[in-house]
Amino acid sequence: MYFLSEVERKYMIYKLLPLAREAGVSPELRGWNWHQAPLKPYYEDVRLPMYAVSSKYCPSGRDVYLAFVEGVRPVPNFKVALGKVLHGVVSDYLLAFMDGRILDFNDWCRDVRWGEIPARREAVEPIAEKVWGYMAKMCEARYAEVEARQPYASRRDLIASAVPFLVEHRISGELLGLSGILSLDCYDYLRSIMFDLKVGAAQQDWHRLAPVGYALVFESLHEVPVDICCVVYLNYSDGRITVKKDLFFAGDEFRNWWIEERDAKLEIAAEGRDPGMPGDGCPEDCIYRYACHG
């Protein structure tokens, strides 16, 4: 899922990295400057999860007010259920592969708490199996490619080169006004790329906010620059899965945008301010729609 194709690799090497070196990132927008403006959070006693800060699903941000001020519980739909299951498929397969374990799909299914998934199992499981098969082919192909180039390397070294990912890596976002228990979808530690996985979604500019936010958090903790981010779109249609990547330079524009969103969402939560419903209408599948429209 997070492997770059040859075209994507060339795009990063010959387009994005030169752009990052030429344009650079303003020092005050590096995560390690979390203790000063503009990164220093104005509200020190309020913490929000990354999904609340980086989501523009509700254009006015009323979902943040409902969830963190009114305590309204969302009503998950099929899209949410599919996203939860496929995130699990991708991360669990990768973690098992990196541990050198062969994890069978049926065994994985037996450990899923289907009762907590807000969708019929028979509607979700075939898609999950399709994605599982895709992950297996990609991991094995990449491992075989690296093994052929380095026949004397240990299995540990081969995996570190073939699958150089931190998956579901737990980090704290507290320095930037976020939850202390964040989980990265994936960070490629050889190429320094921050990934975020979207399931069943059409490409949107604001989807870039989440990986940029994670890049800032990563910089705040480890003090290493993360200049390249990527949103991975995993979709399923007519029995086939498609994977599309949006690779981009996490420059000043996106970092400032993320800070503006964080500050606006923190203000809603801290001040208890209801921003009202969006003037352009609500998404039909909003998980808080019932709270706004009854």
Side-chain angles (χ1 to χ4, degrees), residues 58-250:
C58 176
S60 70
R62 192 162 198 257
D63 52 350
V64 173
Y65 171 77
L66 293 171
F68 298 98
V69 178
E70 295 291 340
V72 175
R73 297 180 65 85
V75 178
N77 51 35
F78 178 79
K79 184 177 178 180
V80 174
L82 186 62
K84 183 175 182 179
V85 171
L86 296 191
H87 270 83
V89 167
V90 173
S91 61
D92 288 350
Y93 189 90
L94 282 173
L95 290 170
F97 189 85
M98 288 188 286
D99 287 344
R101 293 183 289 121
I102 298 176
L103 183 59
D104 181 76
F105 177 71
N106 293 320
D107 292 337
W108 178 82
C109 277
R110 275 192 284 274
D111 290 336
V112 175
R113 293 194 286 268
W114 292 101
E116 299 177 7
I117 305 297
R120 292 182 298 110
R121 176 174 175 172
E122 55 271 29
V124 175
E125 188 174 320
I127 306 173
E129 186 171 15
K130 200 86 172 179
V131 175
W132 187 275
Y134 173 83
M135 292 300 301
K137 290 175 183 175
M138 293 299 294
C139 288
E140 289 164 7
R142 194 55 59 102
Y143 184 87
E145 177 187 339
V146 174
E147 184 180 37
R149 291 203 308 265
Q150 298 292 338
Y152 302 111
S154 67
R155 178 173 176 78
R156 181 179 177 181
D157 281 343
L158 292 174
I159 288 178
S161 296
V163 193
F165 304 143
L166 294 178
V167 177
E168 296 296 336
H169 183 60
R170 304 287 180 174
I171 57 175
S172 171
E174 290 176 285
L175 296 176
L176 294 176
L178 301 174
S179 164
I181 308 175
L182 301 180
S183 180
L184 310 177
D185 281 349
C186 179
Y187 175 67
D188 182 329
Y189 53 80
L190 289 184
R191 300 166 189 83
S192 193
I193 306 173
M194 189 63 69
F195 289 94
D196 193 60
L197 178 63
K198 297 290 183 189
V199 173
Q203 186 170 338
Q204 301 282 348
D205 286 344
W206 63 262
H207 289 163
R208 291 180 169 187
L209 289 170
V212 169
Y214 284 122
L216 284 164
V217 171
F218 203 84
E219 290 179 349
S220 76
L221 294 173
H222 301 298
E223 305 204 11
V224 294
V226 182
D227 290 342
I228 307 300
C229 290
C230 182
V231 182
V232 180
Y233 291 93
L234 171 61
N235 283 293
Y236 181 84
S237 179
D238 298 328
R240 301 179 62 178
I241 63 170
T242 59
V243 178
K244 180 182 178 183
K245 297 187 188 73
D246 176 24
L247 272 165
F248 62 98
F249 166 46

